[in-house]
Amino acid sequence: MSVTETGATLWLTGLPSAGKTTLAYELAGRLRSEGHRVEVLDGDEIREFLSAGLGFSREDRHTNVARIGFVAGLLAAHGVKVLVPVIAPYADSRDAVRKRHLAEGTTYLEVHVATPVEVCSVRDVKGLYAKQAAGEISGLTGVDDPYEAPESPDLRIESHRQTVQESAAALHALLTERGLA
């Protein structure tokens, strides 16, 4: 395999509206333009098609992350750069995915999109913070449900302090540093 055919999973974790999906698609476009095989496993799409029926209990969230991690690992093992913009609020769930990748000899990189909840609630891409504030929903990650930020991610991005392009460039630099781009 050439370097461009080496797969990897790049998991972007962070609060709702942190910018994970926006960054993933920005990076995906750049990688594709360089000839890489890329897939984005968007959390909302996965919940609709692969994890339909799961709720947001700790157990269901763990199952969702495990399923996404399994698919990401399969794709990465076949030479795909897999970008996973999924909250994955619990460290033990993310660690289980990392361990599975390591056991399979597949690269797993964890990126914390470290956008403060105050910024996320202003962005409120899906209206979740407004619904939570109005009492229409509960269990919002980082507000009234836990979010365990990574203690030592491979990269920490403060998307509120730089442009999408700058953040994507930092992600690309990480992949280049690891011989993956």
Side-chain angles (χ1 to χ4, degrees), residues 62-116:
H62 181 78
T63 299
N64 187 48
V65 168
R67 288 177 183 176
I68 296 167
F70 176 77
V71 172
L74 283 176
L75 290 167
H78 288 91
V80 178
K81 305 288 187 298
V82 186
L83 310 180
V84 184
V86 172
I87 296 169
Y90 299 108
D92 62 345
S93 296
R94 296 189 307 266
D95 289 343
V97 172
R98 178 188 298 275
K99 287 176 184 167
R100 182 177 181 91
H101 275 68
L102 290 174
E104 299 293 327
T106 307
T107 300
Y108 174 92
L109 300 171
E110 183 176 73
V111 175
H112 181 204
V113 183
T115 308

Side-chain angles (χ1 to χ4, degrees), residues 54 57-64:
L54 289 180
S57 68
R58 184 179 179 108
E59 182 179 330
D60 282 357
R61 288 177 189 255
H62 181 78
T63 299
N64 187 48

Side-chain angles (χ1 to χ4, degrees), residues 161-177:
R161 298 189 190 277
Q162 58 193 29
T163 67
V164 171
Q165 293 75 22
E166 290 168 337
S167 295
L171 292 170
H172 192 275
L174 173 65
L175 291 173
T176 300
E177 171 188 303

